[in-house]
Amino acid sequence: MKILAHLFEDPPPWNEQSLTDHCRSVAKLASVSLESIGLSQLGYLCGLVHDMGKASPDFQTYIRSEDSSLRGKINHSTAGARYIWERWGQHPGPTQLAAQIAVISILSHHGHRIDVLSPNGEFVMKKRLFPHKDIAYEKTRDLFLSQCIPASEIEQAVTQASHELTLLCAKIKSCVLGHSPKDNLFYQSLPAKEKTDEENYYIHQSLRYFLGLISRLAFSALVDADWEDTGAFGEHRCPQPVRESVPWDFLQSHLEDRLSALPQKGRLTPYRRQISDLCLSAAQRGPGIYRLSAPTGGGKTFASLRYGIACCKNQHAPHLFYIAPFRSILSQNAGSIQSVLPHEYRDSQSSPHPCVLEHHSDVTVDSNTQEGEAMIRHMQRWDRCPVVLTTTVQLLNTLFAAPRQNVRRMASLVGSVLIFDEVQSIPAKMQYLFNMALNFLADVCGCTILLCTATQPESQHLAFPLWPMPQPDLVPFSVDRNEAFRRTRVLNMVSSPDYSCKEIAQLTLEKLRDAPHILVVLNTKLAVRNLYQALREAAPDCQLFHLSTSQCSSHREHCIREIRDALPDPQKPLICVSTPLIEAGVDLSFDCVIRSLAGLDSIAQAAGRCNRHGESDIRDVLLIQCREESLNRLPDIRWGQEATLAVLDSHPADLLSPEAIQMYYHRYFLTEQMKNTMGYPLPSASSESQTLFDLLGYNSYGLEACREENGGIPSLPLWQAFETAETAFEAIEGGGHTVLVPYGKGEELIEKLASNPPIYEIGRILREAQPFCVTLFEHEYKSLCEKQGLYPLAGGSIYALQPCFYDDAIGVCLEPCSSPLLFV
């Protein structure tokens, strides 16, 4: 009897996939994913034995039955991992490392990446390898080796994977030891007696953290390969590998032609062209971390795009990633980028493929159901599009979050070019995770990374800084160029009493007499909503716009288009009230900006929306403090306010000078509270020193607990608490429930999902639905659930918003804003 991996309700030969065919196909796909980092045989090994447990008599009986109640209850992930560990897990050195990485990937491939040692010292990996429940291991192993994959093939893969890891570990060690902590300001500021301990921890933490990322890469390749092969067989097609050569010369030629055809006018055009040309010439340099520091309005989007495409061409990169902190920036710049790149290219078989993928978010899907897992298989892989436009949230989730739809994309990053727009917006608590992950991508994975911002953060005073290339700045600082882009002055009104929203509305209307187009930026959605309501009551005839993440990106884009169309007319007063999402990547120019106190980087970005194209000699940016902002859930803004207040005392004349920006970051990062925050404190831990960064590296708490409990620690290359850290990670503080909203085409897409389409069609609809989604915080999600403001689609895996909870002006409301219209 054939040993099956999958059985589908299809006509032969597509109804039965043998376990041999599935394992070999997954092995080949995972091998291709890891080939460019030199770990193809490690990927092959993971795929070859990942489903050994399916050879068990119990699983074969289950798969041929129609008893869906047994789904997920028959353990088929332990057998392959146990075979690898018993056979090669006791060989110290690279062989043991190869075995352990394979074991972790195989044990985890239907769930989260497991802890090796939990924070309380439990040896979780051993417990998973030797479960109390009988899994008929010996019989399963023998059936698999005799009828599916021979032992000799597995042994050969282990031998070659060990050799691969020998070379890669030597490279990792060289990278870590080549960046001594003695070079950074944090180390130099320590007392002499602490320096040795700090240096030892720095080295051990960095080495283990990098090895942990290698493990996540292998897990990524296995999950993606498993889902792709399973989905392809079920859809009667050949599985698609993630690597294919891209005609970058075609993309570059098209880009240069389109850019040269753009209008070239205005006094700032020569400076923007100079910045762009300097970026293009810098693309000759190799992989590493670089910086693009240019004033707001300096044309960073197209300059960085020219650099990125040229780098991809020179380095034969698989992808160019453009990564923006907010969907508003991504949506705005996506339109600009897509306007200068071709819509599609043709591969070696002349098959057409889209050039650009815009990936905002993943709709929340329950992967614990058969339908949910099938849907996830059809969600974005970042595979076939050379240019991927995505958000910082998606990138952070790919690197650190537990759900497999995030993990599967990580292998796509290897060897790619990554452009981070407004990099200063990375949350403070993620600094160490982010810095060391970028160091890993650049120094180990051969990525080229460009950090773009007008206010470049310095990280050399951090315990775990970035490792930029020598002379990392693509565009050297120029006093003349900096002065040419000076278009605003910041007026400090913080010393006045704090303003209520009604008082801010009055101040705005007073300024409207001299400045017909005003932008007001406040720090919270609630304050923005309150100010919007106050202005609507006080000036009902004024053109008034509201922008916040309560609106879906399609809604915000519509508002921005309306604002852009209205701004040229000085006879029609206009006020836009926004959260900080408008501060970057939105090409709008107002006559005056009023900014609630925040970090100096945010203030500089807000100033970039004022007199943006130099329409006047100089314009005012008013800095105030709003007393209706609750920052309990926004510590980064609160710390930014404190650092800005310190700089205000020293630089009252020019708050946006390079010296003031440098002082701001020095103040911001070097407070005691920040030092204890940048490793991402574990939310459930009693001590701030127990961090996700430590759990993903040295796991000092788990090691200490294990020593106390067992009198020693297991002799292993990896002992991280992966699952504990990755399930605790949140790219968006306080949750992140993505729901579909009935705005524009979103209403039509909701109706399509409500009609119970086939699963493969659901994946396409979800991709199309991204611009019509809103991400809710946990308290917002719970409030709407309690008020029946959300309803399930696609078997309860996806949620949509009731129409009465979406306002045409402000977006999602927590109270009904019209008569309810229920969907059943």
Side-chain angles (χ1 to χ4, degrees), residues 101-176:
I101 290 174
V103 163
I104 292 168
S105 299
I106 294 165
L107 287 174
S108 309
H109 79 275
H110 278 291
H112 298 158
R113 192 165 57 135
I114 64 166
D115 288 350
V116 179
L117 288 181
S118 70
N120 63 11
E122 182 183 10
F123 194 178
V124 177
M125 190 183 87
K126 182 177 180 181
K127 186 177 179 181
R128 288 288 304 274
L129 283 169
F130 301 96
H132 292 303
K133 186 177 179 180
D134 178 36
I135 60 170
Y137 167 66
E138 287 80 7
K139 188 171 185 178
T140 300
R141 176 198 62 199
D142 294 345
L143 282 169
F144 183 82
L145 297 178
S146 63
Q147 298 187 39
C148 299
I149 307 293
S152 59
E153 186 175 352
I154 300 170
E155 182 165 10
Q156 183 180 14
V158 171
T159 301
Q160 293 176 339
S162 301
H163 178 66
E164 291 174 336
L165 283 167
T166 300
L167 300 177
L168 192 61
C169 286
K171 183 178 181 179
I172 289 174
K173 188 174 181 180
S174 176
C175 291
V176 171

Side-chain angles (χ1 to χ4, degrees), residues 174-202:
S174 176
C175 291
V176 171
L177 296 181
H179 294 87
S180 169
K182 295 176 182 178
D183 298 332
N184 70 54
L185 299 177
F186 174 84
Y187 178 87
Q188 294 170 15
S189 68
L190 292 172
K193 63 181 181 180
E194 295 181 16
K195 287 188 175 180
T196 301
D197 289 342
E198 183 65 30
E199 184 175 7
N200 287 337
Y201 179 73
Y202 176 92

Side-chain angles (χ1 to χ4, degrees), residues 230-251:
T230 302
F233 190 86
E235 295 165 23
H236 309 173
R237 61 176 174 84
C238 293
Q240 300 288 335
V242 297
R243 296 280 161 178
E244 183 177 284
S245 60
V246 176
W248 291 112
D249 52 348
F250 167 62
L251 270 68

